[in-house]
Amino acid sequence: MRKLASYVADAWVEGEGPTTTLFNPATEEPVAETSTTGLDFAGAVGHARKVGGPALRELGFRGRGELLRQMAKAIHGGREELIALAIENGGNTRSDAKFDIDGASATLAAYADWAEGLPEGNLLLDGDGVQVGRTARLHGQHVMTPRRGVAVHVNAFNFPAWGLAEKAAVAILAGMPVISKPATATALVAHGLVQLFVDQKILPAGALSLVCGGAGDLLSHLDGQDVLAFTGSSATAQKLRAGEGVIARSVRINVEADSLNAAVLGPDVSPGSDSERLFVRDVVRDMTQKAGQKCTAIRRVFVPADRLDEIGEALAAELEPIVVGNPGSDGVRVGPLATAAQLRDVTAGIARLAEETDALFGGTGSVQPKDVPEGNGYFVGPVLRLSRDPAAARALHDHEVFGPVSTVAPYGGSAEEAGALVRRGGGSLVCSLYSDDRDFLASMVGELAAASGRLYLGSAKVADQSPGPGTVLPMLMHGGPGRAGGGEELGGLPGLRLYLQRTALQGDKSFIKFITE
Ligand code: NAP
């Protein structure tokens, strides 16, 4: 069987002892095994800091932007092989795989473009200078420079390509070497990506390492110049935040965690309108793309009470013809969940929702997938539930079911009521609002901006060009308060701040101008 090595200190290294097996989630056949036991994580961190950091800083922002351009091209060149790995190990349909892999290359390319407008060196100005003394001579200016540590990236199983690339693009452009740890269960694609970069000798020594398997004692070696960027469940986030280094040595940490994203249909949206079609398309796409395993997927759908039955029927009608099955087969739109553990969690989550909701479509998700022998694979069909009393519901607002599952619920039609229901989610990555009424949208922004990382305003004017709320764009911030982890990633060049140290220079204006111009 294929053995996945980790890439640390510029060498492919296999761990010792017992291995973890990676599976094909459609057939349950093993596809690879990996271990990180015995890997020298202290050495890996030291090598990245001592070799990778200086090599990246030597290149300056523009030179590092060129690296990102080459990484994007390498992914594009290896696209077909990566898609095959995503189908095999991720249960992705071809379309799901492209979403992940093309998202990876597009994010790298976007940061490569923005790098062209940055200075040659390693110093960025932050805002304008300011007079701080009695006369203009005593001056102050904030600047930002690369932190002199390593960026450790711990990623979730659902986006092995995009997750690695979006974090690496920003850290490398900022000037920090990266140690990336994909989720073990779906590490094949991340391994494929790094193999492309290594084989094509794109990055300087020490700039990028890959850990395929458990993190071992990796995080215990981090200190105050390092950055830990985590994407995954709130439960794991809590453990990492409580890590000794994070607390005792002030390791900078960014967390992207769970989110019970909502969609709200405005009271003005009429049946058959462009805005309603956009709303139905977005909800169905988010339930089915990547089998609903997207952190940005719509989990709660709030509609005006007088339209509840009609909207439920419209969504069910769109879900009806969708084929669940082997992700490699023609016509299949929903593949399996990524792992057996995911199947257990999603099945249990549906049962929890079923205690307080009615079935609208798909029952509890039991399905006979196309082109899969009976009893094989981690499949759940799309499930739409109906909550008639969302104010009294608990699991609806508290429990993220990370699969093709969503719940429709009524609200009275006011922005205040919809806002209060959405906020029950405790902070989310994205909330989508569908309306052509500017006053309603303005009220909803007032209700929800503080509880949301992104507010997606779906209206007839953008219906023909909107990628939907589930697509994370490099120019817009990704993250959210509260349950969503409280983190911020991407959002164009401001995303670099996570990996830069901000410093106030205070002194003679001519000296400061000499240093910064
Ligand atoms: P997870 O179980 O929390 O795992 C996430 C990552 O953490 C994996 O790489 C895992 O490695 C690693 N990990 C687990 N325990 C660790 C420890 N003690 N020390 C160091 N690393 C550790 O989450 P998941 O099941 O992969 O992902 C699903 C969750 O992620 C969902 O709740 C979803 O909402 C969330 N998510 C959020 C976003 C976002 O941007 N906000 C994006 C995607 C997913 P192993 O695989 O080796 O255990």
Side-chain angles (χ1 to χ4, degrees):
M1 196 179 357
R2 205 169 356 192
K3 265 206 129 184
L4 287 191
S6 294
Y7 189 73
V8 288
D10 297 310
W12 290 104
V13 196
E14 283 179 14
E16 303 154 356
T19 56
T20 304
T21 305
L22 284 65
F23 293 93
N24 178 327
T27 62
E28 300 182 40
E29 282 161 356
V31 295
E33 57 184 10
T34 186
S35 163
T36 53
T37 309
L39 258 61
D40 176 10
F41 285 124
V45 166
H47 182 79
R49 284 191 196 126
K50 284 193 209 95
V51 178
L56 286 171
R57 293 196 293 274
E58 177 72 27
L59 292 170
F61 288 110
R62 297 231 198 124
R64 295 192 290 269
E66 219 12 74
L67 300 179
L68 304 189
R69 175 97 50 218
Q70 291 172 41
M71 290 164 79
K73 283 186 181 155
I75 294 174
H76 194 65
R79 188 170 182 260
E80 286 306 317
E81 293 78 19
L82 293 169
I83 288 173
L85 294 176
I87 293 172
E88 184 185 2
N89 180 217
N92 291 185
T93 62
R94 188 176 164 79
S95 164
D96 290 342
K98 285 194 290 189
F99 188 59
D100 184 24
I101 291 156
D102 293 346
S105 48
T107 304
L108 284 159
Y111 275 90
D113 286 348
W114 293 327
E116 289 174 12
L118 292 178
E120 296 279 2
N122 285 308
L123 190 134
L124 282 183
L125 296 187
D126 183 31
D128 294 331
V130 59
Q131 178 175 330
V132 295
R134 195 166 27 83
T135 71
R137 193 181 304 162
L138 187 53
H139 188 70
Q141 171 73 57
H142 290 104
V143 298
M144 297 186 291
T145 53
R147 289 165 76 92
R148 296 201 166 209
V150 59
V152 172
H153 294 162
V154 179
N155 278 316
F157 71 83
N158 55 343
F159 283 99
W162 180 84
L164 185 151
E166 61 96 13
K167 284 187 169 64
V170 186
I172 288 175
L173 180 56
M176 286 192 80
V178 169
I179 298 179
S180 188
K181 193 208 113 39
T184 306
T186 58
L188 215 53
V189 172
H191 184 272
L193 234 64
V194 174
Q195 200 154 33
L196 286 169
F197 304 151
V198 172
D199 290 351
Q200 295 179 28
K201 300 186 173 49
I202 292 173
L203 292 162
L208 178 64
S209 308
L210 177 78
V211 175
C212 282
D217 65 357
L218 170 65
L219 304 185
S220 69
H221 301 293
L222 301 186
D223 71 23
Q225 283 292 307
D226 300 322
V227 175
L228 172 59
F230 170 77
T231 296
S233 62
S234 300
T236 308
Q238 272 185 36
K239 282 188 213 152
L240 301 199
R241 278 190 207 280
E244 188 207 324
V246 172
I247 292 176
R249 296 189 290 280
S250 306
V251 173
R252 189 179 279 182
I253 180 168
N254 190 77
V255 170
E256 305 285 347
D258 310 352
S259 185
L260 283 144
N261 311 295
V264 178
L265 185 68
D268 60 295
V269 177
S270 52
S273 63
D274 285 349
S275 296
E276 189 191 81
R277 272 196 292 274
L278 175 67
F279 159 82
V280 170
R281 193 171 76 216
D282 285 351
V283 172
V284 171
R285 188 204 288 112
D286 268 13
M287 286 181 67
T288 53
Q289 189 172 44
K290 295 213 115 219
Q293 299 165 112
K294 284 192 315 192
C295 52
T296 48
I298 297 167
R299 308 288 175 200
R300 301 176 294 153
V301 183
F302 297 109
V303 303
D306 59 354
R307 302 203 54 207
L308 183 63
D309 294 337
E310 172 203 336
I311 294 292
E313 281 164 24
L315 290 170
E318 289 294 317
L319 291 167
E320 181 67 44
I322 289 175
V323 179
V324 181
N326 193 318
S329 294
D330 283 346
V332 168
R333 252 178 77 186
V334 178
L337 300 173
T339 62
Q342 263 288 103
L343 178 61
R344 277 195 302 277
D345 286 356
V346 169
T347 308
I350 295 169
R352 209 168 143 190
L353 278 179
E355 288 169 13
E356 60 179 42
T357 60
D358 301 328
L360 237 180
F361 180 85
T364 55
S366 153
V367 68
Q368 176 49 51
K370 182 185 170 193
D371 294 343
V372 177
E374 200 167 340
N376 275 30
Y378 313 133
F379 290 92
V380 169
V383 169
L384 192 62
R385 308 289 310 178
L386 172 66
S387 168
R388 293 210 177 265
D389 187 3
R394 297 177 69 96
L396 170 67
H397 307 291
D398 289 342
H399 188 66
E400 181 196 41
V401 185
F402 207 58
V405 183
S406 198
T407 302
V408 183
Y411 74 101
S414 76
E416 291 72 23
E417 187 184 340
L421 286 169
V422 173
R423 287 196 303 272
R424 290 273 306 276
S428 47
L429 295 171
V430 57
C431 176
S432 40
L433 311 166
Y434 298 83
S435 174
D436 296 290
D437 176 346
R438 288 186 292 192
D439 291 332
F440 178 76
L441 288 172
S443 300
M444 288 304 292
V445 169
E447 290 287 330
L448 290 176
S452 319
R454 180 159 52 95
L455 290 175
Y456 164 99
L457 313 180
S459 68
K461 289 189 174 169
V462 298
D464 63 340
Q465 53 175 301
S466 170
T471 300
V472 173
L473 299 166
M475 55 290 262
L476 297 181
M477 198 266 283
H478 178 58
R483 186 192 299 277
E488 286 192 15
E489 285 184 337
L490 301 171
L493 290 173
L496 295 177
R497 282 170 175 264
L498 179 59
Y499 303 100
L500 299 171
Q501 179 59 42
R502 190 163 178 247
T503 307
L505 301 182
Q506 181 180 3
D508 180 79
K509 187 172 185 178
S510 67
F511 290 170
I512 290 178
K513 291 275 174 200
F514 174 79
I515 292 161
T516 56
E517 281 176 358

